[in-house]
Amino acid sequence: MIPDPTLSGALPDGFPTGELVLHGRVLPASNATFVGELGGVRVVYKPIAGEKPLWDFPDGTLAAREVSAYAVSAELGWDIVPPTVLGDGPHGPGMVQLWRDEVDDQSPVDIVEEGRVPSGFRHVFDGLDAHDQPVSLVHEDSEPMRRMALFDAVVNNADRKGGHVLPMADGHRHGVDHGLTFNVEHKLRTVLWGFVGEPITDEEGDGLRRLSAALGGDLGARLAGLLTQEELEVTAKRLGRLLSRGTFPAPASSRYPVIPWPPF
């Protein structure tokens, strides 16, 4: 498998090339997802041919949206999305993303007994578990989670489940599975609602302003090969609203749910 720079733009520094050797398939997963090695480096491979049709996203576009999400993450400089490219693999064209080893003893997003929010966490909502016991969904109150919540608002992430937040041993958190992004309709569905209404910090605002400028330049030109013009225009408007309001967004009143289901 050789990543295609004509689709992905310049390859991220150090991104491996060569033959993609598959080791197994990730189950369960909504779309075909494989783990393998590329140039001796562990990667995730999602072929376009394995994407299930959706009523609200054009067919065969999820891989390009994953690459677009990485491009936005890279421009922000927040290292949210692992390096991701488009290329041709054993099951045809698709996206390839560098694997990240998460740690098992940390849970940035968790389900706890109702009302017992751990220190250093934010409350999101209350509900019932599989045994009809009252529980609360919570997430970390940390800089990586704040940045991820803002990133999701920019890319209009419709599927930020708890399992899509990967805890790293050094305290950093990566976000994965960004195929359901950049829709022209408001579809923000996330478990990271704990910062609603809080002011965006100067540092966070600097990253968003840097991204806004880049969308009008080289980044916008690159994304034009991955997204539609309308999707790009709506993304720029969404980012502009976020900056003008200066606070973390609240769930919009619409016919769409604001929490992905299941939340993990």
XYZ file of all heavy atoms in Angstrom, residues 39-113:
568
model
N 5.226 -0.524 6.459
C 6.611 -0.173 6.704
C 7.065 -0.495 8.109
O 7.884 0.220 8.696
N 6.502 -1.571 8.690
C 6.867 -1.981 10.034
C 6.170 -1.208 11.132
O 6.466 -1.416 12.318
N 5.240 -0.322 10.762
C 4.515 0.493 11.735
C 3.057 0.044 11.778
O 2.430 -0.171 10.731
C 4.603 1.989 11.366
C 3.797 2.838 12.344
C 6.056 2.447 11.337
N 2.505 -0.070 12.968
C 1.123 -0.528 13.111
C 0.153 0.569 12.682
O 0.311 1.737 13.063
C 0.841 -0.923 14.563
C -0.390 -1.827 14.730
C -0.541 -2.273 16.163
N -1.520 -3.335 16.297
C -1.983 -3.782 17.451
N -1.539 -3.259 18.600
N -2.864 -4.761 17.493
N -0.850 0.179 11.902
C -1.810 1.143 11.368
C -3.223 0.566 11.393
O -3.419 -0.646 11.544
C -1.455 1.543 9.914
C -0.109 2.255 9.847
C -1.490 0.330 8.992
N -4.196 1.463 11.223
C -5.596 1.104 11.013
C -5.936 1.427 9.561
O -5.566 2.485 9.043
C -6.517 1.898 11.953
C -7.984 1.611 11.642
C -6.216 1.566 13.401
N -6.634 0.515 8.907
C -6.989 0.662 7.486
C -8.496 0.497 7.344
O -9.063 -0.505 7.777
C -6.237 -0.390 6.673
C -6.718 -0.651 5.266
C -6.829 0.373 4.320
C -7.026 -1.955 4.867
C -7.246 0.106 3.025
C -7.433 -2.236 3.563
C -7.544 -1.199 2.646
O -7.945 -1.476 1.361
N -9.149 1.489 6.734
C -10.589 1.435 6.485
C -10.836 1.630 4.995
O -10.802 2.761 4.490
C -11.323 2.516 7.282
C -11.220 2.384 8.789
C -12.006 3.492 9.480
C -11.893 3.428 10.986
N -12.658 4.517 11.646
N -11.076 0.547 4.255
C -11.319 0.680 2.811
C -12.672 1.317 2.528
O -13.656 1.062 3.231
C -11.275 -0.766 2.323
C -11.656 -1.585 3.516
C -11.116 -0.850 4.710
N -12.708 2.136 1.484
C -13.966 2.777 1.094
C -15.017 1.727 0.748
O -16.205 1.900 1.034
C -13.729 3.729 -0.096
C -12.818 4.886 0.340
C -15.042 4.256 -0.656
C -12.368 5.792 -0.786
N -14.579 0.606 0.165
C -15.514 -0.453 -0.221
C -16.223 -1.053 0.984
O -17.283 -1.674 0.839
C -14.776 -1.547 -0.980
N -15.667 -0.861 2.187
C -16.271 -1.421 3.396
C -17.151 -0.447 4.148
O -17.620 -0.759 5.246
N -17.384 0.736 3.571
C -18.246 1.723 4.230
C -19.723 1.397 3.986
O -20.148 1.214 2.841
C -17.950 3.122 3.682
C -16.555 3.619 3.985
C -16.257 4.983 3.384
O -17.191 5.589 2.802
O -15.111 5.443 3.506
N -20.487 1.320 5.044
C -21.918 1.064 4.908
C -22.641 2.341 4.476
O -22.342 3.422 4.979
C -22.502 0.568 6.237
C -22.034 -0.822 6.643
C -22.734 -1.286 7.903
C -22.312 -2.699 8.279
N -22.985 -3.172 9.515
N -23.587 2.219 3.545
C -24.333 3.400 3.105
C -25.104 4.036 4.266
O -25.634 3.341 5.138
C -25.292 2.837 2.056
C -24.659 1.565 1.600
C -23.963 1.010 2.816
N -25.168 5.362 4.279
C -25.885 6.114 5.294
C -26.883 7.047 4.611
O -26.611 7.550 3.510
C -24.905 6.936 6.145
C -23.852 6.141 6.923
C -22.799 7.086 7.480
C -24.511 5.362 8.054
N -27.989 7.308 5.279
C -29.000 8.157 4.651
C -28.592 9.622 4.631
O -29.064 10.405 3.782
C -30.347 8.007 5.375
C -30.372 8.582 6.765
C -30.085 7.930 7.928
C -30.701 9.915 7.138
N -30.201 8.768 8.995
C -30.591 10.002 8.552
C -31.096 11.049 6.429
C -30.840 11.174 9.254
C -31.345 12.228 7.125
C -31.222 12.281 8.524
N -27.710 10.034 5.557
C -27.410 11.459 5.695
C -25.975 11.839 5.303
O -25.576 12.994 5.472
C -27.687 11.925 7.120
C -27.006 11.070 8.179
O -26.470 10.016 7.829
O -27.025 11.472 9.364
N -25.190 10.883 4.788
C -23.848 11.179 4.290
C -23.713 10.535 2.913
O -24.129 9.391 2.722
C -22.765 10.616 5.213
C -22.537 11.430 6.456
C -23.345 11.259 7.577
C -21.512 12.367 6.515
C -23.135 12.004 8.729
C -21.288 13.123 7.662
C -22.100 12.947 8.764
N -23.107 11.242 1.955
C -22.933 10.652 0.615
C -22.101 9.379 0.674
O -21.143 9.284 1.450
C -22.203 11.758 -0.162
C -22.498 13.033 0.582
C -22.622 12.628 2.026
N -22.452 8.415 -0.149
C -21.741 7.135 -0.172
C -20.268 7.331 -0.548
O -19.927 8.154 -1.400
C -22.386 6.182 -1.180
C -23.778 5.729 -0.756
O -24.156 5.999 0.400
O -24.477 5.117 -1.592
N -19.418 6.537 0.096
C -18.011 6.512 -0.264
C -17.210 7.739 0.116
O -16.134 7.973 -0.435
N -17.685 8.509 1.114
C -16.985 9.752 1.476
C -16.366 9.731 2.865
O -15.723 10.699 3.267
C -17.949 10.955 1.402
O -18.966 10.833 2.426
C -18.602 11.065 0.036
N -16.554 8.649 3.619
C -16.120 8.658 5.021
C -14.602 8.698 5.152
O -14.065 9.363 6.052
C -16.682 7.435 5.754
C -18.204 7.259 5.729
C -18.628 6.189 6.733
C -18.932 8.563 5.991
N -13.896 8.006 4.281
C -12.430 8.012 4.356
C -11.887 9.424 4.141
O -10.978 9.870 4.854
C -11.847 7.051 3.323
N -12.436 10.132 3.172
C -11.998 11.509 2.910
C -12.296 12.410 4.096
O -11.528 13.336 4.397
C -12.671 12.042 1.648
N -13.387 12.156 4.791
C -13.724 12.959 5.970
C -12.737 12.680 7.107
O -12.380 13.587 7.868
C -15.172 12.678 6.398
C -16.191 13.115 5.360
C -17.621 12.715 5.706
N -18.474 12.866 4.541
C -18.999 14.022 4.134
N -18.770 15.122 4.838
N -19.746 14.077 3.058
N -12.295 11.439 7.224
C -11.283 11.114 8.241
C -9.975 11.861 7.960
O -9.335 12.391 8.877
C -11.036 9.601 8.264
C -12.240 8.774 8.681
C -11.994 7.974 9.947
O -11.207 8.423 10.798
O -12.603 6.889 10.072
N -9.576 11.895 6.698
C -8.360 12.607 6.333
C -8.537 14.108 6.547
O -7.619 14.795 7.006
C -7.974 12.298 4.873
C -6.766 13.131 4.440
C -7.666 10.812 4.708
N -9.716 14.631 6.251
C -9.993 16.053 6.465
C -9.926 16.402 7.944
O -9.406 17.465 8.325
C -11.378 16.407 5.914
O -11.451 16.172 4.517
N -10.444 15.507 8.797
C -10.397 15.742 10.241
C -8.946 15.801 10.720
O -8.603 16.647 11.562
C -11.161 14.647 10.979
N -8.098 14.926 10.180
C -6.682 14.983 10.556
C -6.056 16.298 10.114
O -5.269 16.911 10.852
C -5.903 13.819 9.950
C -4.412 14.059 10.037
C -3.768 14.071 11.274
C -3.659 14.342 8.896
C -2.409 14.343 11.378
C -2.301 14.612 8.992
C -1.685 14.619 10.228
O -0.347 14.901 10.327
N -6.394 16.757 8.909
C -5.821 18.006 8.399
C -6.195 19.180 9.302
O -5.363 20.057 9.586
C -6.305 18.256 6.974
N -7.434 19.218 9.783
C -7.870 20.278 10.702
C -7.134 20.156 12.031
O -6.657 21.145 12.592
C -9.398 20.212 10.904
C -9.832 21.112 12.068
C -10.114 20.619 9.626
N -7.018 18.930 12.547
C -6.306 18.705 13.798
C -4.858 19.163 13.696
O -4.319 19.809 14.606
C -6.362 17.216 14.159
O -5.470 16.896 15.205
N -4.209 18.841 12.568
C -2.808 19.214 12.386
C -2.657 20.730 12.335
O -1.698 21.291 12.883
C -2.264 18.579 11.115
N -3.600 21.420 11.681
C -3.527 22.876 11.587
C -3.722 23.515 12.959
O -3.075 24.524 13.283
C -4.587 23.385 10.610
C -4.403 24.832 10.214
C -3.120 25.075 9.435
O -2.822 24.291 8.516
O -2.411 26.060 9.770
N -4.593 22.958 13.769
C -4.797 23.470 15.122
C -3.546 23.283 15.978
O -3.303 24.049 16.915
C -5.973 22.752 15.780
C -7.369 23.168 15.332
C -8.416 22.171 15.836
C -7.705 24.571 15.827
N -2.781 22.237 15.683
C -1.573 21.956 16.459
C -1.848 21.280 17.779
O -0.986 21.300 18.669
N -3.023 20.668 17.912
C -3.418 20.070 19.182
C -3.222 18.556 19.216
O -3.545 17.915 20.210
C -4.873 20.421 19.482
C -5.089 21.885 19.731
C -4.130 22.827 19.969
C -6.348 22.576 19.767
N -4.715 24.061 20.154
C -6.077 23.935 20.034
C -7.673 22.175 19.598
C -7.078 24.897 20.135
C -8.681 23.127 19.695
C -8.390 24.473 19.964
N -2.762 17.959 18.137
C -2.454 16.523 18.098
C -3.639 15.675 18.566
O -3.484 14.756 19.376
C -1.221 16.224 18.957
C -0.701 14.803 18.754
O -0.922 14.234 17.674
O -0.076 14.263 19.692
N -4.800 15.992 18.050
C -5.993 15.222 18.422
C -6.095 13.954 17.587
O -6.199 12.847 18.120
C -7.258 16.083 18.272
C -7.233 17.240 19.269
C -8.513 15.227 18.472
C -8.320 18.268 19.047
N -6.058 14.106 16.275
C -6.216 12.967 15.367
C -4.848 12.424 14.968
O -3.991 13.185 14.516
C -6.998 13.386 14.104
C -7.243 12.171 13.207
C -8.320 14.049 14.489
N -4.611 11.126 15.121
C -3.339 10.553 14.659
C -3.180 10.765 13.154
O -4.175 10.865 12.420
C -3.480 9.063 14.991
C -4.502 9.006 16.093
C -5.462 10.116 15.796
N -1.932 10.848 12.650
C -1.705 11.044 11.215
C -2.522 10.074 10.375
O -2.531 8.861 10.624
C -0.200 10.814 11.075
C 0.353 11.275 12.386
C -0.654 10.830 13.407
N -3.195 10.622 9.359
C -4.155 9.872 8.559
C -4.006 10.265 7.094
O -3.923 11.455 6.776
C -5.603 10.179 9.010
O -5.701 10.028 10.428
C -6.601 9.268 8.335
N -3.986 9.291 6.202
C -3.840 9.561 4.776
C -4.797 8.680 3.976
O -5.377 7.724 4.503
C -2.395 9.312 4.290
C -1.401 10.151 5.083
C -2.031 7.826 4.390
N -4.950 9.016 2.705
C -5.667 8.173 1.759
C -4.659 7.420 0.899
O -3.589 7.941 0.576
C -6.567 9.010 0.856
C -7.851 9.582 1.455
C -8.550 10.461 0.430
C -8.782 8.465 1.908
N -5.003 6.216 0.522
C -4.135 5.438 -0.346
C -4.834 4.182 -0.822
O -6.029 3.987 -0.579
N -4.116 3.311 -1.485
C -4.677 2.079 -2.032
C -4.144 0.894 -1.242
O -2.931 0.742 -1.092
C -4.298 1.946 -3.508
C -5.194 0.975 -4.236
O -6.245 0.604 -3.677
O -4.844 0.585 -5.357
N -5.057 0.058 -0.720
C -4.674 -1.081 0.091
C -5.203 -2.387 -0.452
O -5.749 -2.436 -1.558
N -5.090 -3.481 0.316
C -5.521 -4.806 -0.149
C -6.997 -4.875 -0.542
O -7.363 -5.694 -1.392
C -5.234 -5.713 1.054
C -4.137 -5.020 1.789
C -4.411 -3.557 1.627
N -7.833 -4.038 0.073
C -9.258 -4.035 -0.266
C -9.650 -2.767 -1.010
O -10.807 -2.346 -0.971
C -10.096 -4.194 1.004
C -9.859 -5.491 1.721
N -10.264 -6.706 1.213
C -9.233 -5.768 2.895
C -9.912 -7.676 2.045
N -9.287 -7.129 3.065
N -8.690 -2.170 -1.684
C -8.964 -0.991 -2.483
C -8.634 0.302 -1.763
O -8.079 0.296 -0.660
N -8.962 1.434 -2.373
C -8.669 2.734 -1.764
C -9.348 2.877 -0.410
O -10.441 2.345 -0.178
C -9.245 3.731 -2.776
C -9.329 2.982 -4.055
C -9.619 1.562 -3.683
N -8.686 3.600 0.474
C -9.253 3.824 1.803
C -8.369 4.737 2.610
O -7.430 5.352 2.093
N -8.676 4.835 3.874
C -7.864 5.666 4.760
C -6.974 4.775 5.616
O -7.348 3.666 6.000
C -8.748 6.574 5.623
C -9.300 5.972 6.898
S -8.145 6.186 8.279
C -9.057 5.390 9.597
N -5.770 5.293 5.897
C -4.812 4.600 6.761
C -4.383 5.577 7.845
O -4.017 6.723 7.557
C -3.589 4.115 5.974
C -2.580 3.464 6.906
C -4.010 3.120 4.892
N -4.444 5.118 9.085
C -4.142 5.982 10.235
C -3.143 5.263 11.145
O -3.264 4.056 11.382
C -5.433 6.270 11.000
C -5.288 7.224 12.172
C -6.654 7.516 12.800
O -7.146 6.761 13.635
N -7.284 8.608 12.365
N -2.173 6.024 11.643
C -1.211 5.435 12.569
C -1.917 4.974 13.838
O -2.758 5.683 14.393
C -0.117 6.448 12.923
C 0.786 6.911 11.783
C 1.951 7.731 12.349
C 1.319 5.743 10.966
N -1.570 3.788 14.284
C -2.144 3.197 15.499
C -1.618 3.914 16.733
O -0.454 4.332 16.778
C -1.787 1.712 15.550
C -2.286 0.991 16.762
C -1.657 0.877 17.967
C -3.516 0.285 16.882
N -2.421 0.129 18.841
C -3.575 -0.249 18.203
C -4.586 0.033 16.012
C -4.643 -1.008 18.654
C -5.651 -0.725 16.477
C -5.674 -1.235 17.778
N -2.451 4.062 17.734
C -2.041 4.617 19.024
C -2.390 3.621 20.123
O -3.530 3.163 20.214
C -2.733 5.958 19.289
C -2.261 7.086 18.366
C -0.830 7.443 18.662
N -0.336 8.582 17.895
C 0.512 8.504 16.889
N 0.961 7.313 16.503
N 0.919 9.591 16.259
N -1.409 3.259 20.956
C -1.617 2.316 22.051
C -2.201 3.047 23.250
O -1.518 3.846 23.897
C -0.297 1.652 22.447
C 0.163 0.630 21.429
O -0.686 -0.163 20.961
O 1.356 0.638 21.084
N -3.454 2.784 23.552
C -4.084 3.406 24.709
C -3.779 2.598 25.965
O -3.446 1.415 25.896
C -5.593 3.515 24.503
C -6.297 2.192 24.248
C -7.767 2.390 23.961
O -8.441 3.058 24.771
O -8.250 1.872 22.938
N -3.906 3.241 27.124
C -3.669 2.559 28.395
C -5.002 2.089 28.973
O -6.036 2.724 28.781
C -2.926 3.476 29.389
C -1.536 3.786 28.887
C -3.699 4.776 29.619
N -4.962 0.982 29.678
C -6.196 0.365 30.174
C -6.653 0.914 31.513
O -7.806 0.708 31.905
C -6.010 -1.151 30.296
C -5.800 -1.820 28.954
O -6.315 -1.301 27.943
O -5.107 -2.863 28.914
N -5.770 1.595 32.238
C -6.120 2.007 33.595
C -6.652 3.440 33.664
O -6.732 4.014 34.734
C -4.911 1.854 34.525
C -3.735 2.708 34.094
O -3.756 3.238 32.965
O -2.783 2.862 34.891
N -7.005 4.020 32.515
C -7.559 5.366 32.494
C -8.841 5.372 31.673
O -8.929 4.692 30.650
C -6.560 6.360 31.903
C -5.266 6.477 32.677
C -4.308 7.467 32.046
O -4.726 8.466 31.465
N -3.015 7.204 32.160
N -9.831 6.127 32.122
C -11.106 6.230 31.413
C -11.501 7.700 31.331
O -12.154 8.228 32.237
C -12.201 5.433 32.141
O -11.888 4.065 32.205
N -11.101 8.394 30.260
C -11.443 9.816 30.131
C -12.945 10.064 30.090
O -13.415 11.136 30.481
C -10.781 10.228 28.817
C -9.730 9.191 28.572
C -10.268 7.926 29.156
N -13.698 9.083 29.597
C -15.165 9.137 29.599
C -15.640 7.889 30.334
O -15.166 6.785 30.069
C -15.729 9.170 28.169
C -17.253 9.288 28.207
C -15.128 10.318 27.366
N -16.581 8.060 31.266
C -16.937 6.924 32.110
C -18.406 6.983 32.513
O -19.064 8.031 32.418
C -16.055 6.933 33.364
C -15.879 5.545 33.977
O -16.511 4.591 33.479
O -15.112 5.427 34.944
N -18.904 5.848 32.969
C -20.229 5.733 33.580
C -20.026 5.467 35.062
O -19.321 4.526 35.434
C -21.043 4.582 32.952
C -21.274 4.811 31.459
C -22.366 4.408 33.686
C -22.243 5.919 31.147
N -20.637 6.286 35.917
C -20.480 6.142 37.360
C -21.856 6.103 38.015
O -22.874 6.396 37.383
C -19.655 7.315 37.943
C -18.260 7.333 37.340
C -20.365 8.651 37.723
N -21.876 5.754 39.283
C -23.128 5.779 40.041
C -23.691 7.197 40.024
O -22.952 8.173 40.164
C -22.873 5.318 41.472
C -24.127 5.186 42.318
C -23.817 4.695 43.716
O -22.696 4.177 43.930
O -24.701 4.836 44.592
